[in-house]
Amino acid sequence: MYLHRYCHVGLLGVALFVTGCEQSVTFSPEAGDEKRYWIYTASQDAEEGDIQYHLNSLLHYKMDSVGDIIQLQVIPEHLDLSLGNGDRTLNSATSNARNLQVFQSGFDLEVDKKSGTLLSLTGQDADAWSRHVEYFGENHPLLNMLRHQVSVPALNTSISTKVGDKISLPQFLGLPATLTVTQITTETLHATVEGKTNNRQLHGQLTLARENGWIESVYAVISKEQNASDFIAIQSTSNPQHISDPVPYFFHPQELWQTLSPILSSDPSGTPPVPHVMAKDDVFAYESGMLASGIPPYLSATLVHNLGQAPHSGHITLTDFRVRNEAGDDLGLPFLAPTNYHYFNDNKNSENAVLLMGWDHRETLEKTRSATATAHYYPDTLTSYTVQWREGEPQTFTLGDMTLNVTPYPQRQGEYHLSYNHGSSKNLLDTIDGLKGDIGITTLSAGPDWLTDSARDWLAWAGDPAQAIASTDMKLTEESDSVTFYVKARETNPLYSQTVTFLPKHLYEASATLPPITGNGPYNQPEPSEAEEDETEAHREILTERYAVTPFADITIDRSHPSAAMISLPMGWSSVCQAEVINDVEINHNGLIWQGHSKGPFPTDAFQLMTEDGIKQHFYDLTVETRLTCEGSPQWQTIPNVTNQTYPWLMDLSQLASITEDQPISALFKAYRFSGHDGDLLWALDRKGESIQHFDHPLSTILYDGKYLKFSGNIIEVSQLQATGEPQEKTWVTTFPPLPKG
């Protein structure tokens, strides 16, 4: 059973019960207290580093009575279990509620306050609980697991409020452990927890509320045999729909550090780089974004921005996400829009993943015709710091509230390791004045060195930002006495906020006036197969071919098959050349011709030798003389004043001479090319917003509003293939051998 097999860490995590005396954090619940927690658990494979499963749950705790025995309710408000192979085996928002009734109804618990021991656990829905017990038995592994998990995080030890104090815990997440108090604020107590057995080792970050002892957060990693790891994140939330997403990010620092790129310099005039602050009209440039489905229960909400070629800096967040029916009414579905920062991607879109929460919303979700949210734009700020640099020496620099440590590598001239306290909102740029050479990709890590790289990454991203350390390497060729570093910081308050609308994918992409969204698939969609990746890459290579014109002298007859012949014409020549048989040859009263044969719009066309009736294409014991005549040499020439200034991704077909809607799509690309920024070639999209698959179909099948072609990006330049110079020709004599005997 999946739940038994994969939920080793916990389906029903519970608050840490803490008791104590004065000057200690004391768990002091009262009847009627309520608390919600997002609990995330995952397990990482040792060999491949892949996630074997992850479980995300929202649990609601209600205190019924408090005495020597605490009576409480634990009600799962969302459960989401995913296996590493991409299958989602349990999701409360999109699964049949009847099958999950025993979970949806919640559980009644009795816990010994002094020891934290679970005394009883029963389902609140008596009928569903009875059926569950009758079917599985009282000692079914799932029930035993539930009983175990709700009692595991229970501490009956007083927690001192003195930094540095250590406390032995008989059990923390299944291991004996030692808690060390690391920080005290007016509201919270922070601690690290370390534990070890023969084959498991634990490191965690713990935060408790000083006022009542309730847990605020836990981020823990349990390292197992052969470097496999379990991950646990527990976050208290007063608003379940607005939290940081604890889903782990698994990087491989040792590989990334090997990737070096040149250190950038500021403007030669000495003007420091300035982050581009987008205008509000550019942030919210279009009337709608796109709503796409990923693997349930995730939706992808994508906004396209008018960034042009300006450096794009800053980030977008969404709040108050709502889906609506055809009449525009709110369907009332609860969504989690994580407060993580969503930066603009390479396609200058911003994509937010929103999680549908709750129980069995399938029927209501089908009524979705649009979505709305409040989008917030946060710009970045940039501060420069000039320091005195000492070549080859260890150095420490104070850059505002950031401490940068520079450590030279022994016996490696010009090579340094850089590390700094990352905090939650600041980054050191790879723009550095006064140093020349290469710099690596910055990686984040937190926790002790014995953790795996992936575990340290996860703690840095999901856990306490104050404990995250950013690191990178430099390999320098020139060093100056004066060096200027640049620190980029995220603003904590949005510069602009605006209500935005999202249309379902099929409606968005059917609109001519909404820009294309390319390279930005639905969140968490399945990985493509190897064959699909190969096909996509081949298609991309064709579509991004820069239409290089092959010299006339390089055109030859293809005799790869001894009994057939073909003239493959590279891109450009097919529109200006014709081939003909010039000697008198007949087979069964049919002459021979070179028949044009399209192999698609890119990169070649071909002439196939065949009889006039098209029946025979293989020949024996025959000599054929061929002449290829070309009007001139093909050359791409820019056509001025044809781009659409209002909707730059659209092309009015009437602006393209010699092209009509009844011609095949391939005719368009044989005669014209369309370039975006930096000369990148663009490709036309069909009316579903997807890459064209059938180039032999008429152009009318892909026209928007009966007249426009929609392209994969903004069209900056349109070029037409034209013949220039003097006509050219060449002849060949082709001899086919006799038919083989036997």
Side-chain angles (χ1 to χ4, degrees):
M1 182 174 183
Y2 285 129
L3 287 176
H4 173 58
R5 178 181 175 187
Y6 290 99
C7 297
H8 304 297
V9 178
L11 177 63
L12 295 179
V14 73
L16 295 178
F17 292 99
V18 183
T19 62
C21 55
E22 292 184 359
Q23 304 303 318
S24 300
V25 175
T26 304
F27 179 64
S28 52
E30 296 181 358
D33 283 355
E34 297 187 27
K35 196 80 169 176
R36 284 181 172 87
Y37 291 93
W38 276 103
I39 300 178
Y40 176 89
T41 62
S43 183
Q44 185 183 28
D45 178 77
E47 296 181 2
E48 301 295 331
D50 296 329
I51 295 297
Q52 293 177 312
Y53 81 91
H54 81 252
L55 174 66
N56 210 8
S57 57
L58 174 62
L59 304 180
H60 186 181
Y61 293 86
K62 297 181 179 181
M63 291 293 175
D64 290 334
S65 66
V66 178
D68 292 339
I69 294 177
I70 298 176
Q71 295 180 330
L72 70 154
Q73 304 173 49
V74 178
I75 303 172
E77 295 184 347
H78 181 76
L79 295 175
D80 179 31
L81 171 66
S82 176
L83 303 186
N85 59 10
D87 295 330
R88 190 169 296 275
T89 58
L90 185 154
N91 176 259
S92 61
T94 55
S95 298
N96 189 324
R98 182 179 179 183
N99 297 334
L100 301 173
Q101 183 61 37
V102 69
F103 298 99
Q104 181 180 1
S105 301
F107 302 90
D108 290 321
L109 283 69
E110 290 187 343
V111 178
D112 185 289
K113 184 180 180 182
K114 183 177 181 180
S115 66
T117 301
L118 175 67
L119 302 177
S120 68
L121 179 150
T122 57
Q124 291 189 343
D125 186 318
D127 291 339
W129 178 257
S130 177
R131 290 194 303 269
H132 199 80
V133 172
E134 181 180 357
Y135 184 81
F136 292 113
E138 187 68 30
N139 292 315
H140 184 270
L142 174 59
L143 298 183
N144 288 334
M145 184 269 295
L146 291 177
R147 295 187 184 96
H148 176 67
Q149 294 304 329
V150 296
S151 61
V152 165
L155 303 181
N156 61 344
T157 303
S158 174
I159 306 297
S160 166
T161 56
K162 183 179 179 181
V163 173
D165 275 6
K166 296 180 181 294
I167 300 166
S168 295
L169 306 177
Q171 191 178 89
F172 181 83
L173 297 176
L175 281 77
T178 299
L179 180 149
T180 303
V181 179
T182 58
Q183 183 184 5
I184 298 292
T185 70
T186 56
E187 297 181 349
T188 56
L189 178 147
H190 301 261
T192 58
V193 183
E194 304 275 353
K196 188 175 183 180
T197 62
N198 291 335
N199 57 3
R200 293 192 300 166
Q201 194 166 0
L202 174 147
H203 174 82
Q205 302 171 4
L206 167 68
T207 304
L208 299 174
R210 290 188 63 182
E211 180 182 4
N212 50 30
W214 282 96
I215 186 175
E216 291 298 320
S217 67
V218 171
Y219 302 99
V221 178
I222 299 175
S223 179
K224 302 182 294 186
E225 293 179 335
Q226 299 177 341
N227 290 327
S229 300
D230 287 335
F231 302 85
I232 306 98
I234 302 174
Q235 298 183 43
S236 169
T237 176
S238 57
N239 184 349
Q241 294 178 249
H242 295 90
I243 64 162
S244 293
D245 188 353
V247 174
Y249 300 82
F250 291 102
F251 301 132
H252 299 283
Q254 68 277 20
E255 298 173 8
L256 289 178
W257 283 351
Q258 297 172 7
T259 304
L260 299 177
S261 56
I263 295 173
L264 304 177
S265 298
S266 63
D267 187 271
S269 65
T271 303
V274 178
H276 176 67
V277 177
M278 295 171 59
K280 186 174 183 179
D281 288 345
D282 291 334
V283 176
F284 306 110
Y286 306 104
E287 64 267 28
S288 296
M290 187 177 78
L291 184 67
S293 297
I295 294 178
Y298 287 99
L299 296 179
S300 169
T302 302
L303 291 174
V304 183
H305 311 281
N306 185 25
L307 299 184
Q309 289 302 96
H312 39 288
S313 179
H315 62 274
I316 296 287
T317 64
L318 296 182
T319 58
D320 195 28
F321 187 87
R322 302 173 185 269
V323 293
R324 301 180 181 276
N325 61 17
E326 192 166 359
D329 299 326
D330 183 2
L331 291 173
L333 295 182
F335 283 91
L336 166 64
T339 57
N340 291 29
Y341 300 100
H342 296 268
Y343 282 85
F344 307 111
N345 61 22
D346 291 340
N347 295 291
K348 300 178 182 177
N349 309 328
S350 59
E351 183 181 15
N352 284 255
V354 290
L355 173 67
L356 176 60
M357 303 187 302
W359 295 89
D360 198 2
H361 298 308
R362 292 173 299 168
E363 184 175 334
T364 305
L365 190 62
E366 290 178 356
K367 301 176 183 178
T368 299
R369 296 297 180 270
S370 66
T372 59
T374 302
H376 309 276
Y377 167 67
Y378 297 77
D380 290 335
T381 59
L382 196 67
T383 306
S384 62
Y385 299 90
T386 300
V387 300
Q388 294 301 306
W389 181 267
R390 300 189 305 276
E391 183 176 346
E393 297 183 20
Q395 302 165 79
T396 298
F397 303 116
T398 300
L399 311 180
D401 57 359
M402 176 188 292
T403 301
L404 173 64
N405 295 301
V406 180
T407 305
Y409 282 104
Q411 311 302 318
R412 290 158 61 178
Q413 179 68 30
E415 295 189 31
Y416 298 87
H417 180 69
L418 276 62
S419 64
Y420 58 91
N421 53 310
H422 179 257
S424 60
S425 61
K426 294 187 177 181
N427 293 284
L428 186 69
L429 296 189
D430 54 6
T431 298
I432 305 173
D433 293 334
L435 300 177
K436 292 185 179 181
D438 295 327
I439 190 168
I441 297 174
T442 299
T443 59
L444 295 181
S445 61
D449 292 340
W450 55 261
L451 287 173
T452 64
D453 291 319
S454 294
R456 300 189 74 206
D457 277 333
W458 180 77
L459 279 174
W461 284 99
D464 182 2
Q467 299 190 37
I469 300 297
S471 302
T472 189
D473 283 349
M474 290 194 307
K475 184 180 292 186
L476 303 180
T477 56
E478 293 184 24
E479 305 177 45
S480 303
D481 293 337
S482 178
V483 171
T484 300
F485 293 101
Y486 296 91
V487 176
K488 183 174 70 174
R490 294 194 293 255
E491 288 285 1
T492 56
N493 296 312
L495 182 61
Y496 314 123
S497 297
Q498 182 170 304
T499 299
V500 293
T501 300
F502 298 93
L503 294 179
K505 185 175 185 289
H506 70 283
L507 294 178
Y508 181 95
E509 294 184 333
S511 170
T513 59
L514 291 174
I517 294 180
T518 56
N520 210 21
Y523 177 80
N524 207 18
Q525 62 182 1
E527 290 292 328
S529 66
E530 186 173 337
E532 289 173 331
E533 286 184 339
D534 291 343
E535 181 180 350
T536 300
E537 183 59 30
H539 191 54
R540 183 180 295 112
E541 289 178 2
I542 289 174
L543 292 174
T544 56
E545 173 72 37
R546 289 190 177 271
Y547 296 72
V549 177
T550 300
F552 180 76
D554 291 349
I555 300 175
T556 61
I557 289 183
D558 179 4
R559 291 296 311 282
S560 56
H561 195 289
S563 64
M566 179 180 291
I567 302 175
S568 294
L569 295 176
M571 169 59 67
W573 291 100
S574 59
S575 62
V576 298
C577 296
Q578 291 293 328
E580 60 179 331
V581 176
I582 57 177
N583 63 327
D584 188 13
V585 182
E586 286 190 353
I587 296 178
N588 297 330
H589 307 292
N590 277 284
L592 298 187
I593 61 172
W594 285 96
Q595 179 65 46
H597 171 63
S598 176
K599 297 174 66 177
F602 310 101
T604 63
D605 269 6
F607 292 109
Q608 176 77 48
L609 184 65
M610 62 181 65
T611 55
E612 290 176 328
D613 58 11
I615 295 176
K616 191 171 181 62
Q617 298 181 11
H618 291 268
F619 308 96
Y620 303 93
D621 198 15
L622 190 69
T623 298
V624 177
E625 296 180 26
T626 298
R627 178 167 55 225
L628 180 70
T629 304
C630 302
E631 300 173 17
S633 297
Q635 187 177 54
W636 293 104
Q637 296 187 350
T638 301
I639 306 173
N641 305 319
V642 294
T643 56
N644 191 316
Q645 299 302 309
T646 305
Y647 304 109
W649 54 88
L650 295 182
M651 172 55 61
D652 188 337
L653 189 64
S654 66
Q655 296 287 320
L656 305 177
S658 75
I659 299 295
T660 61
E661 65 176 38
D662 57 347
Q663 290 180 276
I665 296 170
S666 58
L668 173 71
F669 295 101
K670 292 170 187 173
Y672 292 91
R673 67 179 181 184
F674 306 87
S675 304
H677 292 291
D678 301 324
D680 294 334
L681 289 189
L682 305 175
W683 57 95
L685 305 174
D686 63 20
R687 287 203 288 253
K688 295 181 180 179
E690 298 174 353
S691 298
I692 295 168
Q693 301 297 321
H694 304 288
F695 292 96
D696 55 340
H697 288 188
L699 280 163
S700 59
T701 61
I702 64 169
L703 290 180
Y704 285 70
D705 299 338
K707 63 182 298 187
Y708 295 108
L709 295 162
K710 187 173 182 178
F711 282 81
S712 57
N714 291 350
I715 303 170
I716 303 302
E717 182 180 273
V718 180
S719 301
Q720 184 179 17
L721 189 64
Q722 298 180 355
T724 61
E726 297 297 322
Q728 303 181 76
E729 72 172 40
K730 63 167 52 181
T731 59
W732 296 278
V733 175
T734 305
T735 301
F736 295 94
L739 184 68
K741 295 181 179 181

